[in-house]
Amino acid sequence: EGKCYLRFIVGTDGRITDVKVTRGVPDCEECDNEAKRVVRSMPKWKPGKIGGKGVRSYFDLPVNFKLN
């Protein structure tokens, strides 16, 4: 159980690249790897825009893990 924080880039075409763990779940590298895998497999996002033109932008995403 815990929370993992990821940072990635949303490109001008909406693709997700450069997924990195900024703060992982303590003592659970598998959780960090699974969070990265899920984010990489996401469909394209809407890119950030400046002046109506798509730009690359960073996004920080928290991922919660809970055991049932």
Side-chain angles (χ1 to χ4, degrees):
E1 250 181 61
K3 190 179 281 192
C4 173
Y5 293 88
L6 301 173
R7 173 174 273 190
F8 53 90
I9 296 174
V10 179
T12 57
D13 60 352
R15 291 186 188 170
I16 295 173
T17 59
D18 298 331
V19 181
K20 295 178 184 166
V21 176
T22 55
R23 187 168 58 182
V25 178
D27 300 322
C28 188
E29 188 176 330
E30 295 86 8
C31 294
D32 299 341
N33 291 336
E34 181 64 11
K36 285 171 40 176
R37 184 193 69 79
V38 169
V39 168
R40 284 188 187 120
S41 67
M42 286 183 174
K44 288 184 178 182
W45 287 34
K46 292 182 181 177
K49 293 189 177 189
I50 294 178
K53 184 178 177 184
V55 295
R56 289 173 36 127
S57 55
Y58 281 104
F59 194 88
D60 292 316
L61 180 71
V63 178
N64 291 310
F65 288 95
K66 285 196 174 190
L67 299 175
N68 290 332

